[in-house]
């Protein structure tokens, strides 16, 4: 299995809702990533997990809460979002080979989020 | 700080034309890694290639080829005999070698390639 899956594909939520995005990979990767991508822009890194521990938080607002229950799963919990948070949310995974910076990331298809 | 510049924003070609996508990078590190990703309209970023800073050999994979030149800090991507399925946004990205465990990518702004039949 060489793919990263994400659910749901589309999500519409109000500013008072609580929802979660899910990501799964079965490639044995020990690093997992969340990115946010606005239209016509490159992906922006949000969080990185290494060996199921949060290793990078790019100063993301607390209304986004990541969770890595095990090495195959990554969640992003959403609460009290703003309309400007509407974007494509991409999950990625990679090996951790020890050559820092070298590991290519494999991306999922994303969740297109709309906040009303 | 590292930076990736993709000066072309949109390119439109007719099928079977060759097209080159430019990428210029900036980094202070002597060890770094360069990537190209393709993002079709479906949204998923597809990994195309990784190149190490200490390996300047050009690479060819089918209709795709990459020209890495450290002297000009460029890592250009050429599609030969383009096809409609090549229509996508193409991102060049840079990752520096550092003591952390993760690959942290700096992306260029992307180039939208449209291939017309």
């Amino acid at each position: 299995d060489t793919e990263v899956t994400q659910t749901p594909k589309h999500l519409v939520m109000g500013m008072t809702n609580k929802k979660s995005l899910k990501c799964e990979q079965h490639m044995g990767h020990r690093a997992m990533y969340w990115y946010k991508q606005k239209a016509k822009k490159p992906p922006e890194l949000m969080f990185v997990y290494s060996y199921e521990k949060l290793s990078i938080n790019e100063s993301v607002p607390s209304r986004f809460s990541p969770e890595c229950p095990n090495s195959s799963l990554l969640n992003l919990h959403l609460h009290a979002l703003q309309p400007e948070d509407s974007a494509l949310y991409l999950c990625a995974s990679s090996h951790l080979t020890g050559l820092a910076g070298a590991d290519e990331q494999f991306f999922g298809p994303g969740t297109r989020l709309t906040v009303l | 700080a590292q930076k990736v510049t993709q000066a072309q924003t949109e390119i439109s070609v007719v099928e079977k034309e060759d097209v080159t996508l430019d990428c210029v990078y900036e980094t202070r590190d002597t060890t770094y890694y360069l990537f190209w990703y393709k993002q079709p309209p479906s949204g998923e970023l597809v990994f195309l290639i990784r190149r190490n800073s200490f390996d300047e050999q050009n690479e060819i994979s089918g209709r795709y080829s990459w020209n890495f030149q450290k002297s000009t800090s460029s890592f250009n991507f050429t599609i030969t005999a383009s096809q409609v399925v090549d229509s996508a946004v193409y991102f060049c990205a840079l990752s520096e070698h550092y003591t952390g465990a993760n690959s942290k990518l700096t992306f260029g702004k992307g180039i939208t390639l449209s291939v017309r039949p």
Side-chain angles (χ1 to χ4, degrees):
Chain A
D1 190 349
T2 58
E3 65 174 2
V4 177
T5 59
Q6 291 187 242
T7 56
K9 288 187 177 180
H10 301 275
L11 178 63
V12 179
M13 59 186 292
M15 291 190 286
T16 58
N17 292 157
K18 285 185 181 181
K19 297 287 184 182
S20 295
L21 308 184
K22 297 191 176 183
C23 174
E24 190 167 4
Q25 57 88 15
H26 294 287
M27 294 179 278
H29 292 168
R30 302 305 299 274
M32 296 187 77
Y33 309 75
W34 279 117
Y35 287 85
K36 173 183 178 181
Q37 187 180 24
K38 302 284 272 185
K40 299 189 182 298
K41 298 287 187 182
E44 298 174 18
L45 184 65
M46 299 175 71
F47 302 104
V48 182
Y49 275 83
S50 302
Y51 301 105
E52 296 88 69
K53 292 185 178 172
L54 184 65
S55 55
I56 296 177
N57 177 342
E58 293 287 277
S59 302
V60 179
S62 59
R63 58 185 182 270
F64 295 91
S65 176
E67 178 196 21
C68 190
N70 60 56
S71 60
S72 300
L73 292 173
L74 184 67
N75 298 321
L76 185 63
H77 303 297
L78 314 173
H79 173 56
L81 294 193
Q82 305 296 310
E84 59 264 29
D85 296 321
S86 299
L88 180 68
Y89 288 83
L90 293 161
C91 173
S93 68
S94 74
H95 284 298
L96 287 172
T97 59
L99 287 175
D103 301 303
E104 57 265 35
Q105 296 179 27
F106 295 88
F107 286 79
T111 294
R112 198 163 294 278
L113 174 67
T114 302
V115 182
L116 301 176
Chain B
Q2 53 188 355
K3 184 179 177 183
V4 175
T5 300
Q6 295 181 264
Q8 305 151 310
T9 53
E10 296 184 12
I11 300 175
S12 181
V13 299
V14 176
E15 209 170 17
K16 298 184 184 177
E17 283 186 30
D18 298 347
V19 58
T20 295
L21 310 181
D22 297 332
C23 174
V24 173
Y25 62 92
E26 295 175 30
T27 177
R28 295 177 185 172
D29 271 14
T30 55
T31 301
Y32 51 90
Y33 307 90
L34 295 162
F35 302 81
W36 276 95
Y37 282 88
K38 173 184 179 180
Q39 188 174 35
S42 59
E44 178 177 352
L45 269 82
V46 178
F47 166 75
L48 296 177
I49 191 172
R50 181 193 70 194
R51 179 52 90 216
N52 306 330
S53 57
F54 42 87
D55 181 4
E56 282 194 78
Q57 271 198 330
N58 291 328
E59 183 152 341
I60 298 174
S61 176
R63 296 184 297 107
Y64 295 170
S65 62
W66 290 270
N67 183 358
F68 177 31
Q69 291 196 340
K70 286 179 75 171
S71 59
T72 56
S73 298
S74 65
F75 186 42
N76 296 338
F77 173 29
T78 298
I79 302 174
T80 302
S82 60
Q83 300 176 2
V84 173
V85 293
D86 295 327
S87 297
V89 180
Y90 290 86
F91 291 99
C92 180
L94 167 69
S95 179
E96 290 180 337
H97 180 84
Y98 60 102
T99 55
N102 299 109
S103 172
K104 189 173 174 181
L105 295 171
T106 296
F107 286 92
K109 292 187 175 181
I111 301 170
T112 300
L113 174 64
S114 299
V115 181
R116 309 188 305 276

